[in-house]
């Protein structure tokens, strides 16, 4: 639904780490902008972030920007955060993916990740619900 407002997103993320802002730009506004850029529902983006990173009050390491190896790199959707034969550190692998994708701002990570979800799952595979996302075509 493209009719979801920033105020509705703020209400949905109230009490979580997504209730804050970065340099005067609220996470709700970034999610709204990502929904507009990707064509994905803003609520779907919120649910996906919470599914991947939880919905607590503290910023998860994947989006804190403070990792000493990957400072200023963010991955809201856990892309690439898997165990590989080269490295078993999922956070390192996820941040490495994010750096390669150019996600060096929270805005870029939310918008880029949202576009990737839309392109990789919804458009390419027709996986338009979270039930279908867990199955590969």
């Amino acid at each position: 639904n493209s009719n979801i407002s920033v105020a509705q997103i703020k209400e949905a993320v109230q009490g979580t780490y997504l209730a804050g802002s970065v340099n005067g730009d609220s996470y709700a506004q970034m999610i709204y902008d990502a929904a507009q850029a990707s064509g994905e529902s803003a609520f779907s983006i919120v649910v996906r972030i919470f599914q991947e990173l939880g919905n607590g009050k503290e910023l998860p390491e994947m989006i804190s920007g403070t990792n000493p190896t990957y400072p200023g790199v963010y991955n809201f959707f856990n892309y690439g955060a898997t165990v590989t034969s080269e490295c078993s550190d999922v956070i390192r692998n996820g941040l490495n993916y994010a750096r390669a994708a150019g996600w060096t701002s929270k805005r870029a990570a939310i918008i880029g990740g949202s576009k990737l979800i839309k392109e990789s799952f919804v458009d390419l595979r027709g996986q338009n619900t979270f039930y279908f996302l867990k199955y590969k075509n």
Side-chain angles (χ1 to χ4, degrees):
N1 184 346
S2 62
N3 297 323
I4 298 167
S5 69
V6 173
Q8 290 172 304
I9 299 167
K10 283 183 178 181
E11 186 177 328
V13 300
Q14 186 177 2
T16 73
Y17 56 85
L18 290 178
S21 62
V22 179
N23 300 324
D25 197 9
S26 71
Y27 286 110
Q29 182 65 56
M30 289 184 248
I31 291 166
Y32 176 86
D33 294 344
Q36 297 302 308
S38 68
E40 186 67 17
S41 162
F43 289 150
S44 177
I45 293 168
V46 169
V47 168
R48 181 64 181 247
I49 292 170
F50 286 163
Q51 177 186 12
E52 294 298 333
L53 302 178
N55 63 350
K57 292 182 186 258
E58 300 295 321
L59 279 176
E61 184 177 355
M62 195 69 87
I63 60 170
S64 70
T66 60
N67 184 285
T69 307
Y70 299 95
V73 176
Y74 310 92
N75 190 337
F76 281 78
F77 301 96
N78 273 340
Y79 277 105
T82 59
V83 173
T84 66
S85 58
E86 295 83 30
C87 180
S88 63
D89 184 342
V90 295
I91 291 176
R92 179 178 158 196
N93 291 339
L95 291 174
N96 187 50
Y97 181 98
R99 182 176 62 187
W103 298 345
T104 55
S105 74
K106 292 183 180 192
R107 172 176 283 286
I110 292 171
I111 292 173
S114 297
K115 285 180 176 180
L116 195 55
I117 288 170
K118 181 78 161 83
E119 293 164 2
S120 300
F121 294 100
V122 178
D123 292 345
L124 183 64
R125 297 181 180 155
Q127 296 172 315
N128 60 353
T129 69
F130 286 104
Y131 176 79
F132 288 127
L133 284 176
K134 64 183 180 177
Y135 301 103
K136 291 184 178 180
N137 284 348

